[in-house]
Amino acid sequence: MAHIRDVVVDCRHPASLARFWAAALDGYQVAPYDEQELERLRGEGVFDPEDDPSVLVEAGAGVRPRFFFQLVPEAKTVKNRLHLDLSADDRPAEVRRLTALGARVTGEHEGWTTLADPENNEFCVFG
C-alpha cells in the first residue's frame, strides 16, 4: 500500500517559496544545510543556498509529508490541479498572517478563504 512521502512544488525560486511555506505551516522549517549538503551543491555549481534548485521543508524526523520546492524553467500558467487545504482556529487572523507573509486572497467563501502563495499557487484556509 502506498503512502505520501513528499509533496513536490514546481517553482521559479525554490528558496523563497520554501521560506514562505515553512512560515505558513505550523511546526515546519527549511531543512538546515550541513557541510555535506553544501559540498554537494558546490559540486553541482551552486555556491549559494539561495540558488539551490531543490529546497526541503520538513517538520522533523519521520513527520510526513515533507515538502520539496524544485526549480522549473516555466512559470505557472493555469489553475492548480492539486492544492493544500489548511485549518485554523481563527480563520480571519490566519488569513491576515498569511497575507503578511506574501500570500494573496483570491476568494472569500462561507467557511473558507482561497489564497495564492507568492508564486500564485492556490490554497485554502478553513475555520
Side-chain angles (χ1 to χ4, degrees):
M1 180 71 57
H3 63 277
I4 294 175
R5 174 188 164 120
D6 301 318
V7 174
V8 180
V9 179
D10 292 347
C11 55
R12 301 282 291 162
H13 193 258
S16 59
L17 198 57
R19 284 191 300 271
F20 169 83
W21 282 103
L25 297 171
D26 186 29
Y28 279 79
Q29 66 177 4
V30 174
Y33 288 85
D34 60 18
E35 189 52 43
Q36 181 180 358
E37 179 64 8
L38 293 171
E39 184 62 32
R40 185 190 69 77
L41 287 173
R42 287 190 290 268
E44 294 179 7
V46 178
F47 297 95
D48 183 347
E50 190 67 18
D51 299 324
D52 187 348
S54 182
V55 179
L56 172 63
V57 171
E58 60 187 353
V63 177
R64 301 284 188 226
R66 303 178 312 173
F67 293 85
F68 274 97
F69 296 87
Q70 74 179 12
L71 179 66
V72 295
E74 67 277 357
K76 179 182 174 294
T77 58
V78 297
K79 184 179 184 325
N80 293 21
R81 297 294 300 263
L82 174 75
H83 69 266
L84 299 178
D85 283 346
L86 309 180
S87 293
D89 292 334
D90 183 341
R91 181 170 50 105
E94 185 62 7
V95 168
R96 286 190 301 275
R97 186 183 78 82
L98 292 166
T99 56
L101 291 172
R104 176 177 53 85
V105 173
T106 62
E108 288 288 350
H109 312 277
E110 188 168 330
W112 81 91
T113 303
T114 304
L115 298 99
D117 73 14
E119 289 204 15
N120 212 29
N121 299 299
E122 296 93 1
F123 65 101
C124 297
V125 176
F126 286 80

